[in-house]
Amino acid sequence: MGLFRNDPQTVRLESQDVELKASKAPWSLWADGFGKLGIRAIQIIVVVIVAAGVIIANQQLTVVTIPLVIALILACAFAPVMGWMRGHGIPSLLATILTLLAIVLILGGIGWLIVWAVRNQWDDLYAQAQDGFSDLVAWVQTLPFFDAVADQLDEFGSTVTDFLTSSQFGSGALAGVGALANFVTGFVLMVVVLFFFLKDGPQLWEFLLRPFRGENYRRAQRIGAKTVTVLGSYVRGTATVAAVDAIGILIGLLILQVPLAVPLAVLVFLLAFIPIVGATLAGTLAALVALVANGPLSALLVVGVVVLVNQLEGNFLQPVLMGRSMKLHAFVILIALTVGTVLGGIVGAVLAVPITAAVWGAISVWDGDGVPARWARPKKPVAS
């Protein structure tokens, strides 16, 4: 045994083994539970830093990013129209021009309807809503044990009134000129980008997929097709639901003889693009106007009409028009709305839900058609 132990080759192998173990000694600190936790923590920190950088960059480039996202959503919404015209032999350029003109006319018509409905009656609408809020405060003050709430409402109303009559509001109005210029710039950019998305959308997507091979290429194709389906279904379904909501509430307001019915219906249509929160805001505003114009009973009836229309929307229209492509839990929608509002204001609130739905759609086809990513698959049946 001693001869083998003193063999030069054996000694050399033992020394190499010792050196190898010594070189691996520092990495052994990362092999236990705390080491893996540290690695995960570092990875999370890197991801958060990258995400924060992307968010900051988007906030600085909203004039570019927001028109780009809106153009993408509109292109997905009108993709079936483009496919139908191309399938019937219409040249791609002509089909693009016709579709783009239709989009501009639709958006322009909606804008004209809003201006026409609100321009001459906005002062009355604002005054009616303010009077309704004052009546609500006066009613709360008559209730027992609500003195603190009434004081807070009075303080809130005074703060809003002081701001509207202050010089800060005037400076904000002057700053609105710059916002209008940004809006015009963004709208022109959106139209230009939308033209190329409609005309060369499939070619642009194939260009982006050039680095992918094999299964990664097929996965990217599934994600692209699912994104177009989800975003298109969202826009078409939401616009239809918003129109039905506006018409239903308009009929109810006309029957109850609530003034300013048309402006209120227009606001219902616009706010319907903000899920959950938009319907609540529209119903509250309509109820306040009915309260000051026709009394508490009319306001309660308006609330009943709003609730009825919302139930019709949630239980019938959305499942039929949107299917399961937009099947997001209410909790997820609220979180997405909150994050979108904080990061992008009203536009962020409108875009947050379709973007979230598109991300979930990509996850749902990650490993195949109808096969979600492994970590997103249900592990056991969920009790109803």
Side-chain angles (χ1 to χ4, degrees):
M1 296 296 294
L3 294 175
F4 287 103
R5 186 177 300 275
N6 294 329
D7 181 68
Q9 183 177 1
T10 303
V11 173
R12 185 170 64 253
L13 293 175
E14 290 179 352
S15 63
Q16 291 177 353
D17 184 61
V18 171
E19 292 177 357
L20 181 61
K21 291 181 179 179
S23 63
K24 292 183 177 180
W27 296 105
S28 64
L29 296 175
W30 300 95
D32 58 0
F34 285 104
K36 293 179 180 178
L37 178 61
I39 293 174
R40 291 293 181 267
I42 294 174
Q43 292 173 340
I44 292 173
I45 291 173
V46 172
V47 171
V48 170
I49 292 175
V50 173
V54 172
I55 291 173
I56 293 174
N58 286 333
Q59 289 179 336
Q60 299 298 322
L61 298 173
T62 53
V63 179
V64 177
T65 56
I66 291 178
L68 187 65
V69 174
I70 294 176
L72 175 62
I73 294 176
L74 291 176
C76 294
F78 285 86
V81 178
M82 290 292 299
W84 181 86
M85 286 193 290
R86 285 170 176 164
H88 285 74
I90 299 178
S92 179
L93 180 60
L94 179 59
T96 301
I97 294 175
L98 292 176
T99 304
L100 188 61
L101 287 177
I103 294 174
V104 173
L105 289 176
I106 291 173
L107 295 179
I110 294 174
W112 175 84
L113 178 62
I114 295 171
V115 173
W116 172 81
V118 177
R119 180 186 58 186
N120 296 328
Q121 296 180 312
W122 175 255
D123 293 337
D124 295 336
L125 179 63
Y126 172 77
Q128 294 273 13
Q130 189 178 35
D131 292 340
F133 182 77
S134 301
D135 292 345
L136 180 63
V137 172
W139 177 72
V140 170
Q141 289 176 340
T142 62
L143 298 177
F145 310 113
F146 278 88
D147 292 338
V149 177
D151 293 339
Q152 292 177 0
L153 291 175
D154 284 335
E155 183 179 356
F156 175 75
S158 300
T159 302
V160 174
T161 303
D162 293 341
F163 173 73
L164 293 177
T165 58
S166 64
S167 59
Q168 294 179 355
F169 182 75
S171 61
L174 293 177
V177 177
L180 179 61
N182 290 335
F183 172 79
V184 173
T185 303
F187 182 78
V188 173
L189 178 62
M190 186 270 293
V191 172
V192 174
V193 173
L194 180 58
F195 173 82
F196 289 108
F197 279 172
L198 292 173
K199 181 177 179 296
D200 302 321
Q203 292 83 352
L204 292 175
W205 183 242
E206 283 297 327
F207 176 79
L208 294 177
L209 297 186
R210 284 185 178 182
F212 299 97
R213 296 290 184 273
E215 178 57 29
N216 291 330
Y217 176 78
R218 290 188 291 272
R219 176 180 293 129
Q221 282 187 318
R222 291 194 302 269
I223 291 175
K226 187 66 174 179
T227 299
V228 172
T229 301
V230 170
L231 294 180
S233 299
Y234 175 81
V235 173
R236 294 188 297 269
T238 303
T240 305
V241 170
V244 173
D245 286 351
I247 294 173
I249 292 178
L250 175 63
I251 293 173
L253 295 177
L254 292 176
I255 293 175
L256 296 174
Q257 297 182 353
V258 176
L260 309 174
V262 175
L264 288 173
V266 171
L267 291 178
V268 168
F269 176 82
L270 295 177
L271 293 175
F273 284 87
I274 305 177
I276 301 177
V277 179
T280 303
L281 293 176
T284 302
L285 185 59
L288 289 176
V289 174
L291 175 64
V292 70
N294 300 337
L297 179 60
S298 179
L300 290 176
L301 292 176
V302 168
V303 173
V305 170
V306 173
V307 171
L308 178 62
V309 171
N310 289 334
Q311 289 299 315
L312 175 65
E313 166 198 332
N315 297 324
F316 177 72
L317 290 179
Q318 285 190 353
V320 171
L321 295 175
M322 298 184 182
R324 299 189 60 85
S325 61
M326 280 292 298
K327 193 65 175 179
L328 297 176
H329 195 276
F331 175 77
V332 177
I333 293 177
L334 287 176
I335 296 299
L337 286 175
T338 303
V339 175
T341 303
V342 171
L343 297 179
I346 296 177
V347 177
V350 173
L351 298 179
V353 175
I355 292 175
T356 304
V359 172
W360 176 247
I363 295 173
S364 66
V365 296
W366 190 262
D367 289 335
D369 292 331
V371 183
R374 185 177 302 275
W375 59 268
R377 299 174 190 174
K379 304 304 183 294
K380 60 181 181 180
V382 179
S384 58

